[in-house]
């Protein structure tokens, strides 16, 4: 999911992930609720692990975060990675 506040962010992450893997990752674009699309694709492909980033949303907003919804609804393990500390 790419927001308006960070255009082309997904493209940069895609390139970095490809470099780390040594091959191009599969990029899937869905016009659906983000959590529904992620969980549905994981089920369809028989995924054993979903790796997601977190925006460090806290409080009541965290209850509706995509990573929270996926973690509760997915049939497989979900690993949520927090962003790096700025200035570290």
């Amino acid at each position: 999911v790419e927001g308006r506040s960070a255009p082309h962010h997904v493209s940069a992450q895609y390139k970095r992930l490809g470099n780390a893997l040594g091959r191009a990752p599969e990029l899937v674009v869905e016009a659906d609720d983000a959590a529904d699309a992620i969980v549905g694709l994981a089920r369809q492909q028989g995924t054993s692990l979903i790796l997601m980033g977190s925006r460090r949303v806290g409080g009541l907003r965290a209850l509706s975060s995509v990573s929270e919804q996926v973690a509760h609804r997915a049939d497989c393990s979900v690993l949520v990675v927090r962003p790096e500390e700025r200035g570290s």
Side-chain angles (χ1 to χ4, degrees):
V1 178
E2 183 170 316
R4 292 182 193 157
S5 63
H8 310 296
H9 190 67
V10 170
S11 298
Q13 289 179 337
Y14 178 83
K15 288 177 186 175
R16 286 196 338 244
L17 181 58
N19 289 338
L21 293 173
R23 64 179 180 87
E26 180 180 357
L27 179 63
V28 178
V29 178
E30 293 279 340
D32 196 356
D33 172 75
D36 288 343
I38 293 166
V39 171
L41 185 63
R43 285 182 181 143
Q44 178 184 2
Q45 294 187 347
T47 301
S48 60
L49 174 67
I50 298 172
L51 175 62
M52 300 186 68
S54 168
R55 295 184 301 138
R56 288 196 181 161
V57 176
L60 293 176
R61 290 183 62 200
L63 296 176
S64 63
S65 74
V66 173
S67 56
E68 181 83 11
Q69 291 177 41
V70 170
H72 285 287
R73 295 172 23 202
D75 297 330
C76 62
S77 298
V78 178
L79 176 61
V80 180
V81 179
R82 296 186 339 180
E84 293 178 352
E85 293 285 334
R86 295 214 188 264
S88 300

